[in-house]
């Protein structure tokens, strides 16, 4: 059964929010057998009907203004067609008498029975619905989020109608409503408060919070928060091991996902160049110092151990050899940087135990492996919302 929510007691419009066909922004996961499964969130199974004012909708949203204009045009066309069908049975203002086999003279009493009739005007109508209201049906939106946004549009900002704080999940659902209905200006004051409160906790950067990261990217885009958008997209470009997935009921722009993955692939390609150069130097022995040979003819320096440890670690992380090709599925610059740190830490400890720490430090200083990778990772810029000339990029 539909739930009715009244925002305007004198409403001339009824907004009908259909239940979501799927969970909101489910993150695709895979079990041990590789079978896709989905993290779901509960959603309503019934329509929600919201009584609102068409005037408030038109003033707040160009999208609503277009919808109402289309409905008004359709209603006018329907009224015109109905009027035309009513007058079609008239000829010169007189009802046409039935055909008679006999000739009827002007003085015939039969003719006097047919008098001039004028069709009554059709009353103006704004809706074909039985309740006389304009009905606007919305799909793909969360009912609670839509109700919250429409309360803001109508100036009904009491604590029972518009919350002072929201969760990241709730804000993402609100952002979808705002995005689809073009209501950024109407909710700006509330949105700034909600975003600032959540941002105090920071943008997630671990692999266990990938869905939250995508929600943050979308929220920052919708509410035009440049700093947050740049930070969140930078984290995505450095942490993710593939392109952003498409999440149901979350209309993240495809260009945003594409540009993030372009940055991800570019920095991974540069990191692999650094790794390949380090391996070549160790293989060729082109570092400044030579190898120390003991009395038995064995190499005693840590360069060989560093090479072996590096190759083994890279192989374990599917980074080298052979070198992975773009789009580098399963690879991130963060993972490459961590692997290099682990290798050099392991080698340094081993070299210290065998008394070769000094040579190992010289090797590290010449390779500059971890500093280069750290600088490369730090140099990822993330995405900007606007160009240098102030144009929106997405």
């Amino acid at each position: 059964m539909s739930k009715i929510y009244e925002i305007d007691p004198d409403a001339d419009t009824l907004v009908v929010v259909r239940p979501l066909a799927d969970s909101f922004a489910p993150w695709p996961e895979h079990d041990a057998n590789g079978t896709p499964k989905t993290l779901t969130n509960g959603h309503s199974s019934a329509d929600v009907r919201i009584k609102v004012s068409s005037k408030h909708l038109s003033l707040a949203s160009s999208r609503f203004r277009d919808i109402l204009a289309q409905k008004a045009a359709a209603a006018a066309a329907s009224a015109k067609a109905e009027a035309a069908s009513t007058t079609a049975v008239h000829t010169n203002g007189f009802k046409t008498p039935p055909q008679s086999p006999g000739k009827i003279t002007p003085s015939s009493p039969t003719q006097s029975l047919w008098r001039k009739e004028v069709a009554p005007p059709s009353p103006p109508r704004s809706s074909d619905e039985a309740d006389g209201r304009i009905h606007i049906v919305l799909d793909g939106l969360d009912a609670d989020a839509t109700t919250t946004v429409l309360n803001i549009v109508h100036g009904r900002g009491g604590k029972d109608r518009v919350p002072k704080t929201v969760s990241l999940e709730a804000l993402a659902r609100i952002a979808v409503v705002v995005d689809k209905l073009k209501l950024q200006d109407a909710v700006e004051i509330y949105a700034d408060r909600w975003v600032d409160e959540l941002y105090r906790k920071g943008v997630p950067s671990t692999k266990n919070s990938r869905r939250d990261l995508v929600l943050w990217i979308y929220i920052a885009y919708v509410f035009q928060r440049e700093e947050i958008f740049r930070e969140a997209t930078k984290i995505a470009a450095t942490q993710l091991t593939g392109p952003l997935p498409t999440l149901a009921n979350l209309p993240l722009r495809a260009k945003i996902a594409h540009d993030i993955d372009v940055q991800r692939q570019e920095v991974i390609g540069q990191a692999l160049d650094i790794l390949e150069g380090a391996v070549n130097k160790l293989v060729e022995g082109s570092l400044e110092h030579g190898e120390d040979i003991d009395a038995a003819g064995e190499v005693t320096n840590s360069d060989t151990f560093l090479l072996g440890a590096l190759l083994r670690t890279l192989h374990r992380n599917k980074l080298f050899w052979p070198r992975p090709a773009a789009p580098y599925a399963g690879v991130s610059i963060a993972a490459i940087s961590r692997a290099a740190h682990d290798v050099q830490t392991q080698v340094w400890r081993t070299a210290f135990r065998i008394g070769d720490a000094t040579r190992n430090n010289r090797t590290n200083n010449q390779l500059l492996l971890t500093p280069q990778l750290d600088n490369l990772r730090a140099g990822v810029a993330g995405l900007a919302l606007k160009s240098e000339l102030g144009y929106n990029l997405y």
Side-chain angles (χ1 to χ4, degrees), residues 168-182:
L168 182 64
E169 176 84 13
L171 184 54
R173 295 174 186 240
I174 289 172
V176 175
V177 177
V178 172
D179 186 18
K180 286 193 173 183
L181 300 178
K182 309 302 179 187

Side-chain angles (χ1 to χ4, degrees), residues 1 6 22 50 52 57 69 104 113 139 155 172 180 193 201 241 264 290 292 305 377 387:
M1 183 176 179
E6 186 176 278
D22 193 2
I50 310 170
V52 293
L57 300 183
I104 301 176
L113 294 176
D139 293 304
K180 286 193 173 183
R193 181 199 304 167
K201 303 175 184 178
T241 58
R264 184 189 74 86
D292 290 340
F305 182 73
R377 178 180 176 183
S387 69

Side-chain angles (χ1 to χ4, degrees), residues 27 204 209-219 240 244-245 247 250 252:
W27 186 267
S209 303
R210 290 174 296 173
R211 179 176 180 271
D212 287 353
L213 179 62
V214 177
L215 297 186
W216 263 118
I217 292 172
Y218 180 72
I219 289 168
L240 296 182
L244 291 178
L247 305 184
L250 188 80
L252 181 67

Side-chain angles (χ1 to χ4, degrees), residues 184-327:
Q184 282 85 348
D185 291 341
V187 304
E188 181 178 6
I189 295 176
Y190 287 93
D192 285 345
R193 181 199 304 167
W194 291 330
V195 172
D196 289 342
E197 182 66 27
L198 286 172
Y199 187 54
R200 289 190 183 97
K201 303 175 184 178
V203 177
S205 58
T206 63
K207 65 180 182 179
N208 295 327
S209 303
R210 290 174 296 173
R211 179 176 180 271
D212 287 353
L213 179 62
V214 177
L215 297 186
W216 263 118
I217 292 172
Y218 180 72
I219 289 168
Y221 161 72
V222 171
F223 297 118
Q224 292 293 287
R225 300 296 295 267
E226 176 75 35
E227 178 184 354
I228 300 175
F229 185 74
R230 189 182 293 276
E231 178 183 350
T233 53
K234 176 176 180 174
I235 293 172
T238 56
Q239 295 282 348
L240 296 182
T241 58
L244 291 178
T246 300
L247 305 184
N249 298 311
L250 188 80
L252 181 67
R253 304 303 187 271
K255 189 176 186 331
I256 294 176
H258 171 269
D259 289 355
I260 290 173
D261 199 55
V262 166
Q263 286 198 2
R264 184 189 74 86
Q265 292 188 44
E266 285 180 353
V267 72
I268 290 174
Q270 295 171 27
L272 293 176
D273 289 340
I274 293 173
L275 290 176
E276 191 170 2
V279 170
N280 288 337
K281 286 181 179 179
L282 291 171
V283 170
E284 297 167 359
S286 58
L287 299 175
E288 291 181 3
H289 60 78
E291 295 178 337
D292 290 340
I293 309 297
D294 62 12
E298 298 292 335
V299 176
T300 60
N301 69 63
S302 61
D303 293 6
T304 303
F305 182 73
L306 175 60
L307 173 61
L310 181 59
L311 289 175
R312 180 177 294 178
T313 302
L314 296 179
H315 180 75
R316 184 169 59 247
N317 288 276
K318 300 179 180 179
L319 298 174
F320 192 88
W321 185 270
R323 174 174 172 154

Side-chain angles (χ1 to χ4, degrees), residues 97-98 100 102-115:
S100 173
K103 183 178 181 182
I104 301 176
T105 62
S107 60
S108 171
T110 304
Q111 182 67 37
S112 64
L113 294 176
W114 301 94
R115 62 184 182 276

